[in-house]
Amino acid sequence: MKHIISINKKIGCFKNTIEVEGDKSLSIRFILLSSLSNGKCTAKNLLRSEDVISAINSVKKLGIKIILKNNYCEVFGKGLKGYRYKKNLILDAGNSGTTARLLCAAIIDAYHNIKIIGDRSLNKRDMGRIIKPLSKFGAKFIDNKKKLPLFIKGPKILKPITYNENLGSAQCKSAVMIAALKTNGKTKIRSVPSRNHTELMFKNVLKIPIKIKKTKKSELIEINGSTEFKKFNYEIPGDISSASFFIVLTLLAKNSFLRIKKINVNPSRTGIIKILNKMGARIKILNKKNYKGEIIADIFVKSRSNLKPINLNPKLNSSAIDEFLLIFLVASKCNGISKFIKLSELNKKESRRLDWGIKILKMMNVKVIKVKDHGIKIWGKPDLKLNKKYIIKNFLKDHRIFMVSTIAALSLGGDWKIHNSDSFKTSFPSFLKTLKSLGAIIR
Ligand code: S3P
């Protein structure tokens, strides 16, 4: 199998309509929550990427039947106490932080030690952020310096907790929400802003009586435990994080436009659109529809040449947390200096993405420096053109590093060799196929 792709030609102009695959966050939540429901749940347009397969395989090992037919999925939930915990059970979260962290919460009542493992990238990531709150519920962990692999075992009785989520991590907030379901009392969470899919699913899909109070700086959530919920059906909208690669490709290409259909434009995820529009992009969100609390719409984007730099208010960071590499790429083509701060979470993703962003820009001969408060400054040039050889490798197979490098090559030129050519399958298996449908030449 070939492990390197070559790109040495910019993409030509295109005028198309595309769709991208289902939202990864929602697909993983569907698998975990349906497995705890009572009855047969179905999902249309489930993302069939490696991260979602890791979630499916883990839940199957817990005794839950799952049937997959193309992108249609059936999960036969057995209720909050329905998992079968076999002795010496090992669950493999692969590359998926969301699976590892939410799964620990879902199995918080395990009556044997259950081992959770992951790949080389996931083994480097912090699990302390969920070990701390889940231990408050009464779970016992045996861990390797707050990293995977770890063992988890539940107590006889799980206690509800009060928890402050200060990192802006939806994974931590969601883990506590899921664990709360298995207690006998009221769990209270105060959380700074992060994506709110779990809250919306609890409220509008599982119909669990949760209280949510929004204040300016945080969200207060109260959940009563031991609330069993019925089977449900769900249709997963397109993933804005996948769409973002095509938004930026179109923006930086010549005389092109693109309509991306049926994307989840939940405001806790649309930071990229708000930020690019502040930089002069004029991206439109059309045909908005409410689906069980999520907002689904078409995104319309045109090429632009006169982009402006930005001094980004870090309040927007959480709603664009997976899109910063793309935003840095756009900043490199702006007329002036852009500044971004409070990005320490970026170095805790599948790879050290802040460091990688700097490395790729430097390779492209863009002036970039680290600034205090976990920030960077980028000196953009509208006439930035690449004409050298660029090799991207040893990036821990981070899917977003692979995809952003591909977009840089197709929109800025140069002779690129990008290694680990299967890494995009973690989140967006049709990425290369969709690029080729727009005329990209990738070998
Ligand atoms: C996710 C939350 C984000 C994001 C990740 C998916 C989720 O991570 O980066 O890709 O599905 O909840 P954090 O919650 O750690 O910020």
Side-chain angles (χ1 to χ4, degrees):
M1 195 187 148
K2 206 179 127 199
H3 290 293
I4 304 173
I5 59 161
S6 305
I7 301 175
N8 55 21
K9 198 170 183 320
K10 279 198 211 177
I11 195 160
C13 97
F14 54 87
K15 296 180 168 77
N16 285 60
T17 297
I18 59 164
E19 284 189 30
V20 298
E21 289 155 291
D23 188 299
K24 177 156 75 80
S25 291
L26 285 175
S27 296
I28 295 174
R29 282 162 176 74
F30 169 81
I31 294 298
L32 292 175
L33 294 173
S34 60
S35 72
L36 297 170
S37 79
N38 287 273
K40 179 175 123 184
C41 299
T42 65
K44 280 189 192 158
N45 201 34
L46 186 89
L47 172 66
R48 293 285 293 272
S49 76
E50 286 170 0
D51 274 8
V52 182
I53 300 294
S54 299
I56 290 174
N57 288 341
S58 300
V59 165
K60 276 184 170 171
K61 281 192 163 180
L62 293 161
I64 303 296
K65 182 172 153 193
I66 300 186
I67 300 176
L68 288 172
K69 301 169 185 161
N70 297 323
N71 63 354
Y72 179 79
C73 174
E74 292 173 350
V75 179
F76 296 78
K78 291 192 190 163
L80 288 176
K81 295 192 173 131
Y83 287 164
R84 191 180 62 215
Y85 298 115
K86 284 190 182 159
K87 270 195 176 158
N88 305 320
L89 188 62
I90 300 176
L91 303 177
D92 186 354
N95 187 250
S96 173
T98 310
T99 300
R101 293 175 177 137
L102 273 54
L103 190 62
C104 282
I107 62 167
I108 194 165
D109 55 350
Y111 36 80
H112 299 300
N113 268 322
I114 307 291
K115 190 175 187 184
I116 314 260
I117 61 169
D119 72 1
R120 207 157 70 86
S121 150
L122 192 55
N123 285 348
K124 291 185 191 285
R125 297 179 69 184
D126 172 43
M127 295 297 284
R129 59 182 58 200
I130 55 122
I131 291 178
K132 206 170 164 200
L134 297 185
S135 301
K136 271 179 91 181
F137 283 102
K140 292 270 173 288
F141 288 86
I142 307 171
D143 58 86
N144 167 25
K145 296 190 187 126
K146 313 285 177 221
K147 304 241 160 75
L148 293 182
L150 61 71
F151 290 89
I152 175 172
K153 188 174 175 223
K156 285 228 163 68
I157 298 172
L158 284 153
K159 300 183 293 254
I161 67 164
T162 297
Y163 168 64
N164 271 322
E165 201 296 294
N166 292 323
L167 291 170
S169 164
Q171 293 174 356
C172 293
K173 174 176 66 180
S174 304
V176 172
M177 290 177 71
I178 292 171
L181 293 174
K182 298 207 173 187
T183 69
N184 274 323
K186 186 181 285 177
T187 290
K188 294 183 183 173
I189 304 166
R190 179 189 292 274
S191 153
V192 297
S194 59
R195 62 188 70 185
N196 65 350
H197 304 306
T198 312
E199 292 92 303
L200 293 177
M201 272 200 166
F202 272 39
K203 206 166 156 219
N204 304 316
V205 184
L206 314 182
K207 313 272 186 213
I208 293 173
I210 64 165
K211 275 196 201 151
I212 302 173
K213 209 167 116 193
K214 282 206 172 111
T215 65
K216 259 199 166 165
K217 288 195 178 145
S218 59
E219 191 182 55
L220 298 170
I221 306 171
E222 283 184 15
I223 303 169
N224 283 320
S226 296
T227 324
E228 289 283 349
F229 49 94
K230 290 192 195 141
K231 61 185 184 175
F232 61 91
N233 302 321
Y234 200 76
E235 186 165 348
I236 316 263
D239 194 323
I240 189 159
S241 296
S242 300
S244 297
F245 292 97
F246 287 86
I247 293 176
V248 169
L249 178 73
T250 312
L251 193 62
L252 300 182
K254 282 243 151 57
N255 303 325
S256 300
F257 66 74
L258 195 64
R259 182 187 287 263
I260 314 172
K261 286 178 72 182
K262 290 199 236 158
I263 298 299
N264 186 1
V265 292
N266 175 325
S268 67
R269 296 284 298 279
T270 47
I272 175 109
I273 295 180
K274 291 178 197 139
I275 295 167
L276 295 181
N277 279 345
K278 281 178 193 290
M279 297 167 95
R282 297 199 200 152
I283 299 159
K284 288 189 191 133
I285 297 180
L286 308 168
N287 303 328
K288 278 193 197 175
K289 288 192 187 82
N290 188 311
Y291 176 72
K292 304 190 187 198
E294 298 289 351
I295 301 166
I296 311 198
D298 297 346
I299 295 174
F300 188 75
V301 52
K302 275 183 178 179
S303 306
R304 300 279 298 168
S305 50
N306 45 348
L307 292 163
K308 298 180 290 197
I310 192 167
N311 185 354
L312 186 67
N313 181 339
K315 274 190 187 156
L316 281 174
N317 286 3
S318 85
S319 61
I321 194 67
D322 290 340
E323 281 66 68
F324 271 95
L325 293 167
L326 284 165
I327 295 167
F328 297 159
L329 191 64
V330 176
S332 74
K333 280 281 281 181
C334 286
N335 193 7
I337 306 167
S338 294
K339 186 177 167 196
F340 307 89
I341 56 165
K342 297 200 190 305
L343 290 174
S344 57
E345 278 295 300
L346 283 195
N347 272 344
K348 299 184 180 150
K349 298 292 175 191
E350 286 84 329
S351 69
R352 295 181 60 85
R353 285 192 187 146
L354 184 57
D355 297 350
W356 265 100
I358 294 172
K359 193 168 163 177
I360 295 173
L361 293 185
K362 280 192 172 158
M363 208 184 266
M364 290 170 15
N365 219 5
V366 173
K367 181 172 170 194
V368 49
I369 57 166
K370 274 191 185 177
V371 294
K372 66 171 192 291
D373 210 2
H374 303 280
I376 65 169
K377 254 186 181 181
I378 299 169
W379 277 254
K381 280 191 198 145
D383 58 354
L384 177 70
K385 280 187 192 68
L386 306 186
N387 47 23
K388 296 204 175 107
K389 285 193 191 308
Y390 307 92
I391 298 174
I392 305 290
K393 60 180 184 182
N394 301 332
F395 51 91
L396 281 171
K397 295 189 174 182
D398 181 344
H399 51 135
R400 301 204 194 279
I401 302 275
F402 176 88
M403 292 190 280
V404 80
S405 309
T406 308
I407 299 302
L410 289 169
S411 52
L412 303 175
D415 183 358
W416 292 69
K417 297 261 183 287
I418 310 168
H419 287 231
N420 300 113
S421 60
D422 52 358
S423 34
F424 63 93
K425 292 179 185 156
T426 306
S427 64
F428 190 2
S430 62
F431 174 67
L432 288 182
K433 203 170 115 204
T434 312
L435 279 175
K436 286 177 185 166
S437 77
L438 299 180
I441 298 171
I442 300 167
R443 290 194 189 91

